Amino acid sequence: MSVLFELKDFCVSYGPVEAVHHVDLAVREGEIVTVIGPNGAGKTTLLSAAMGLLPSRGALAWQDERLPRVTVEAMVARGVGLVPEKRELFGEMSVQDNLLLGGFARWRAGQRDQRARMDEVFGIFPRLKERRTQLAATLSGGERQMLAIGRALMASPRLLMLDEPSLGLAPLIVREVLQVVAGLRERGVAVLLVEQNARAALQIADRGYVLEMGSVALSGPAGELARDPRIVQTYLGLGGGSAATGTVERMKEPS
Ligand code: ATP
């Protein structure tokens, strides 16, 4: 499958401090790619900069076309959607109105398919249909995450970037939300999934990258990463390492 989205030598700094160092990463059409790593590894920074919300250096290409500047407008125009960690819903608006806002850019561009898209979102998340007139602020954490994903799907994205969709959710809800994410592949939507929940992310992803201290420490097919002893020990909780503090480097044999 052809490459949809690619970062090369991608760096992001906060003032003088570089938080993401020389990252190479690609997402192919319809592929689910996860970025896992401990707290503070730079996952959110990487995603925000790739969406044009933070300045970056290096190259970002969309379908082999290098973008002269990475801006939110350029990314949205190419069909990239971001579901931020904080969900950022409009709490005083209904579920339905939040969804309609997600489809606003398409409506402005003259595409009048918002009802059909909303029905599709309700098909994916029947719980949102039951609660369509409820205010977003009164939804449960899981329902809020579903609404945030549903709102992004209203824009008919080619690539959906998800920042920690499992954060703060009970394990059963995490599974439900990630099953939906896995199902996006069949709808032709590629996914870049940032997760601290490495086990859940590697179960649904095709490929993964391990980000540590702003750099890619390991990458490969998700199945291989899930079996890699360093990942198992550091991120999957079967050894002494902890996902919050561990690094793959520490687990490497001295050379
Ligand atoms: P988490 O899983 O805890 O969300 P993360 O992998 O997403 O962590 P980032 O939030 O991207 O990590 O943070 C990467 C580094 O950049 C951290 O050292 C963090 O302190 C720093 N950082 C993040 N936001 C800012 C900011 N606005 N200004 C300065 N430094 C920042």
Side-chain angles (χ1 to χ4, degrees), residues 12 42 56 69 87 117 129 134 150 180 182 193 199 223 240 255:
V12 190
S56 56
R69 283 185 62 228
R87 281 59 144 170
R117 290 219 60 84
K129 186 174 186 182
Q134 197 173 318
V180 166
L193 168 69
R199 184 186 304 277
S255 47

Side-chain angles (χ1 to χ4, degrees), residues 14 19 38-45 85 164 196:
Y14 293 107
N39 279 126
K43 305 183 296 299
T44 297
T45 302
E85 191 178 306
E164 304 238 13
Q196 256 197 68

Side-chain angles (χ1 to χ4, degrees), residues 58-71:
L60 188 155
W62 180 262
Q63 291 184 313
D64 290 333
E65 172 213 0
R66 184 179 168 168
L67 270 59
R69 283 185 62 228
V70 186
T71 62

Side-chain angles (χ1 to χ4, degrees), residues 249 251-255:
E249 274 312 306
M251 299 300 162
K252 279 184 182 158
E253 298 292 328
S255 47

Side-chain angles (χ1 to χ4, degrees), residues 10-48:
F10 198 72
C11 304
V12 190
S13 301
Y14 293 107
V17 181
E18 196 173 82
V20 169
H21 320 294
H22 309 284
V23 165
D24 291 341
L25 178 153
V27 183
R28 300 192 187 99
E29 302 259 6
E31 193 181 36
I32 300 183
V33 172
T34 189
V35 177
I36 58 174
N39 279 126
K43 305 183 296 299
T44 297
T45 302
L46 177 69
L47 219 52
S48 304

